[in-house]
Amino acid sequence: MASIAFALATTVAAAGAAPAVTAVAPECDRACLTQTMDRYLSALARHDAAGVPFDRDARFTENTMPLKIGKEGLWVAASEPPTGFRIDVVDVPGGAVGTMALMKAWGNPVLVSVRLKLVNGRITEIEHVLTTNALRPASLANLATPRPELLADVPAGQRSDRQRLINIADAYFEAAERAQGSLAPFAAHCVRHENGMQTTSNSPPAPWPVPLGSKEADEAMKYIGSLNCDAQLDTHVMDYIGRLWPRRYEVVDEQKGLVFAFPMFQHPGMTAPVRIVGVPGVDSLPLGRSSSNMQAGEIFKIVDGKIVSVEAMGAFLPYGTKSGWDG
């Protein structure tokens, strides 16, 4: 049954989830795209857009809001470029490059996802997603350097093609929405980080980043955080998410086995506790009590057709917020 469901999910993804791929000028290879991101991040920290190859009609959003290039958002606030934690996702066929990195704004740490789209060597799209208020000391410890697997090339025999990588990432969101971990092909050793915090496979179990207000609930979340990626979804702990849409698979890196998605988490607000399955000591938890959206940036590492790592971050926004890139 799980294999049938996965096949259905991947068919849906193939039909509608993949973005259009526009070829870039031949000279903008992997090195060119990476260097363009380097120049962009340096320009942010200098507050000076000069020398960055922007298209005349380039669009720029930060946490979904349209802003002016060089004059608003991180262009004003950035005070230090990334120095340690930085993961690049490079998509030569798609003419795109994405970076998740820890940098500084107004002197304080800020976790950012930055996406650039290039056409004929010119930047036509810029997207920033950033968060500061979820970065606790334990988060920052995990954001000192990237996990090594996220930087490594995938051996040629274990790589997936572009569409399969997108389908697998989409299956993750299907599994989260349906509370059925078997819908996605997780590796047994899969680990997810969210805003730097490890939220699966904690051994020994660790406190959940956000306390729920009672010993029973906090112990339950501690147990849930010890589960692996698929078993955790089976508990229904993510049922407070009304929908994960749009999902937007913006940057796909076959060489590294990475998909950089920009999903919108829609939280309508729960009028009753979330029913929880298979967790000792509780049958419900007070999750998602207020309404919100969260614009996320999520990087999936996929090796031999299985999700081995998820590096996620997100910014909470008013419920109903649009991504700014919905069409």
Side-chain angles (χ1 to χ4, degrees):
M1 181 64 70
S3 61
I4 294 172
F6 177 67
L8 288 172
T10 56
T11 300
V12 170
V21 176
T22 303
V24 295
E27 67 271 14
C28 205
D29 57 10
R30 175 175 287 272
C32 166
L33 288 165
T34 303
Q35 290 164 7
T36 300
M37 180 62 78
D38 291 342
R39 291 169 66 185
Y40 183 83
L41 294 173
S42 295
L44 275 181
R46 295 195 313 269
H47 311 150
D48 182 2
V52 181
F54 294 110
D55 185 80
R56 182 181 63 183
D57 298 321
R59 294 180 60 212
F60 165 42
T61 67
E62 184 167 294
N63 285 359
T64 76
M65 292 294 294
L67 298 178
K68 294 179 181 178
I69 297 169
K71 297 181 178 180
E72 296 180 302
L74 273 181
W75 283 102
V76 175
S79 52
E80 185 179 301
T83 57
F85 183 86
R86 174 174 166 180
I87 305 164
D88 289 340
V89 185
V90 182
D91 185 346
V92 176
V97 57
T99 292
M100 187 182 294
L102 187 71
M103 54 189 299
K104 286 188 176 180
W106 301 122
N108 297 311
V110 55
L111 183 60
V112 301
S113 287
V114 177
R115 176 180 68 86
L116 305 178
K117 172 74 174 179
L118 279 75
V119 175
N120 296 324
R122 313 294 293 181
I123 298 172
T124 61
E125 296 180 2
I126 308 115
E127 180 172 10
H128 296 171
V129 181
L130 59 94
T131 187
T132 58
N133 59 11
L135 300 181
R136 301 171 178 82
S139 300
L140 294 173
N142 284 334
L143 294 171
T145 57
R147 289 178 279 171
E149 68 267 22
L150 291 165
L151 305 182
D153 287 357
V154 174
Q158 295 181 310
R159 293 182 187 177
S160 300
D161 64 29
R162 181 187 193 88
Q163 189 58 59
R164 190 180 185 208
L165 290 170
I166 292 170
N167 292 347
I168 290 170
D170 195 67
Y172 171 89
F173 295 125
E174 287 295 308
E177 278 196 356
R178 302 187 192 187
Q180 190 174 343
S182 61
L183 291 178
F186 291 108
H189 58 284
C190 169
V191 173
R192 186 179 71 243
H193 286 188
E194 301 177 32
N195 289 335
M197 292 297 299
Q198 182 169 327
T199 53
T200 68
S201 309
N202 281 291
S203 181
W208 196 255
V210 181
L212 293 185
S214 74
K215 180 179 179 181
E216 292 77 14
D218 290 342
E219 285 298 312
M221 291 304 299
K222 191 174 178 179
Y223 173 83
I224 288 169
S226 74
L227 298 175
N228 59 19
C229 291
D230 52 348
Q232 187 181 90
L233 297 181
D234 292 340
T235 68
H236 290 249
V237 71
M238 292 192 182
D239 278 5
Y240 66 93
I241 302 169
R243 197 179 184 206
L244 276 157
W245 197 265
R247 296 173 181 177
R248 295 198 299 122
Y249 306 103
E250 298 285 4
V251 193
V252 181
D253 188 334
E254 295 180 41
Q255 180 175 317
K256 301 286 185 183
L258 300 175
V259 178
F260 206 154
F262 286 76
M264 181 68 81
F265 287 68
Q266 301 182 26
H267 309 130
M270 303 296 290
T271 58
V274 173
R275 182 179 68 90
I276 297 295
V277 175
V279 176
V282 301
D283 57 14
S284 66
L285 287 169
L287 298 167
R289 288 171 287 188
S290 60
S291 60
S292 65
N293 275 21
M294 184 179 73
Q295 178 59 65
E298 300 204 26
I299 297 175
F300 297 90
K301 176 75 174 190
I302 298 165
V303 178
D304 202 18
K306 296 186 181 296
I307 300 170
V308 300
S309 301
V310 182
E311 192 75 43
M313 58 79 63
F316 283 95
L317 303 166
Y319 185 61
T321 300
K322 303 296 183 183
S323 74
W325 302 95
D326 297 80

